[in-house]
Amino acid sequence: MDNASLAEEIITDTKNESIEENEIIGKVAQYKQTLAEYQEKEDYIGGIYYYDEEIGFNSDPELIDLREKLVDDYIRQEVKIADGLLTDSDADAAIEEIEKAERMLPDDRWEKCIEYYQSVMPKSLALMSPYFTEGKGRYISIGKDTTFTNVIPYDQFGNEYNTAIQFKDGIREGGNTLTMKYNLDRKYTSLTGIVTENKSFTTTTGPNLADTYLAIYCDEELIYKSQMVDDEMRPQDISIDVTGVLDLRIDYIGNYEVLLNDPVLYPENLSEPLYEHLGEVIDL
């Protein structure tokens, strides 16, 4: 090949490369414009799907950044919706919204959002495990969402409750006392519940039937001691300030079967929206 032919071939190749480069630049510009339109319409999930289906092969860093922004904005959008579904007693609707968003767009950050919503809701003490127990008395959690979900808590007057911690003596094991401790980690402000006798308990007469009561301690300070629990005792409502408390201790002493019904802990940031703290909870 002579020099003239070689030069002409080089010029042709250069022109073709230039055309291809211009086509790529034009396509990238078109992609950016389309993504900007999705962004403007706040159709973030639509923009993400468009990127994954039409642009996913393209490694242009600006396009990658645009997708990341769409994902972040979609998370913000869904959290705002979930916040609007929060109530003072229920985060189920908010969590369902986040779970739906996770199905639309898998992302590890959704789990952190769910954990946050769970943390700002009232929590049943009956569904928590004590980190320390001592004594030969016995306890089980009964009622809704517990291991014994088919056992409905009733007091001796026939009142029904959702959940309960049931305390029993351990006479067969040689004792009738029990101490339980829970780690509250200073996350709660109050504990409420209702102390009653268990409806299914059958009393007996004789010297072995000891005085029965519950006592509650906050960081080892006695805060509440129930009336003596017996067949005649009316349900006793409790409401205890646990603000700043690390350890919650419950002592059971006696022979009667006692129920601590619907024991609920209320968090310090009850039903507080996630959006205000989103940057602290997840990486955005």
Side-chain angles (χ1 to χ4, degrees):
M1 181 180 294
D2 58 28
N3 290 338
S5 298
L6 181 59
E8 185 177 346
E9 185 174 337
I10 291 173
I11 292 171
T12 300
D13 288 345
T14 302
K15 285 182 178 178
N16 289 338
E17 288 175 4
S18 179
I19 290 170
E20 288 177 9
E21 186 176 340
N22 287 335
E23 287 177 351
I24 292 172
I25 292 172
K27 236 172 194 180
V28 168
Q30 181 184 344
Y31 290 151
K32 289 178 182 177
Q33 177 61 35
T34 302
L35 291 175
E37 290 171 0
Y38 278 108
Q39 189 84 39
E40 187 177 355
K41 292 185 295 184
E42 298 184 356
D43 182 9
Y44 307 121
I45 192 66
I48 294 165
Y49 285 172
Y50 170 78
Y51 181 99
D52 292 348
E53 293 170 6
E54 302 292 335
I55 314 175
F57 61 87
N58 197 301
S59 60
D60 182 89
E62 288 188 40
L63 289 174
I64 293 172
D65 287 346
L66 285 173
R67 185 188 187 278
E68 289 179 359
K69 186 174 187 325
L70 284 165
V71 171
D72 288 351
D73 285 344
Y74 178 60
I75 291 175
R76 291 188 183 95
Q77 184 181 61
E78 285 299 313
V79 165
K80 277 187 176 181
I81 294 171
D83 280 352
L85 299 172
L86 273 178
T87 69
D88 283 346
S89 60
D90 191 6
D92 287 351
I95 291 173
E96 286 173 9
E97 181 66 28
I98 296 300
E99 289 173 340
K100 182 182 74 175
E102 186 175 20
R103 291 192 293 272
M104 298 284 285
L105 178 70
D107 192 292
D108 292 342
R109 291 174 288 182
W110 295 120
E111 189 60 34
K112 291 289 186 182
C113 296
I114 291 173
E115 289 174 5
Y116 176 87
Y117 285 127
Q118 291 171 335
S119 75
V120 298
M121 285 296 102
K123 190 168 186 178
S124 172
L125 191 66
L127 303 181
M128 296 172 63
S129 298
Y131 74 86
F132 172 88
T133 59
E134 184 177 64
K136 295 187 177 180
R138 298 168 293 162
Y139 82 95
I140 58 171
S141 291
I142 59 175
K144 183 180 178 183
D145 297 328
T146 69
T147 303
F148 297 94
T149 189
N150 60 322
V151 181
I152 300 173
Y154 285 99
D155 65 26
Q156 70 270 42
F157 300 103
N159 298 311
E160 179 182 332
Y161 304 92
N162 289 316
T163 59
I165 303 173
Q166 178 181 330
F167 299 88
K168 302 181 178 182
D169 67 32
I171 294 301
R172 292 180 182 177
E173 290 76 24
N176 65 342
T177 65
L178 177 67
T179 292
M180 306 161 61
K181 292 183 180 181
Y182 296 85
N183 179 17
L184 301 192
D185 200 22
R186 300 187 175 91
K187 292 181 178 178
Y188 303 94
T189 57
S190 63
L191 167 67
T192 61
I194 304 171
V195 177
T196 69
E197 183 188 9
N198 185 16
K199 180 182 180 181
S200 64
F201 179 71
T202 302
T203 59
T204 58
T205 59
N208 292 329
L209 196 58
D211 289 342
T212 301
Y213 62 88
L214 286 185
I216 298 178
Y217 297 76
C218 292
D219 291 331
E220 297 306 318
E221 180 183 351
L222 178 63
I223 301 298
Y224 167 82
K225 184 175 179 180
S226 73
Q227 300 171 23
M228 292 304 172
V229 179
D230 57 27
D231 295 342
E232 305 301 322
M233 185 201 77
R234 304 297 302 179
Q236 301 175 35
D237 292 325
I238 64 172
S239 181
I240 297 172
D241 184 354
V242 295
T243 304
V245 171
L246 181 62
D247 281 332
L248 180 76
R249 169 181 151 193
I250 300 177
D251 284 359
Y252 162 75
I253 298 173
N255 301 126
Y256 284 84
E257 288 188 12
V258 179
L259 297 179
L260 177 54
N261 297 290
D262 294 334
V264 176
L265 288 162
Y266 292 87
E268 187 173 9
N269 53 345
L270 178 64
S271 67
E272 191 168 317
L274 169 57
Y275 193 82
E276 300 171 12
H277 310 281
L278 194 53
E280 304 164 23
V281 175
I282 63 173
D283 181 22
L284 276 178

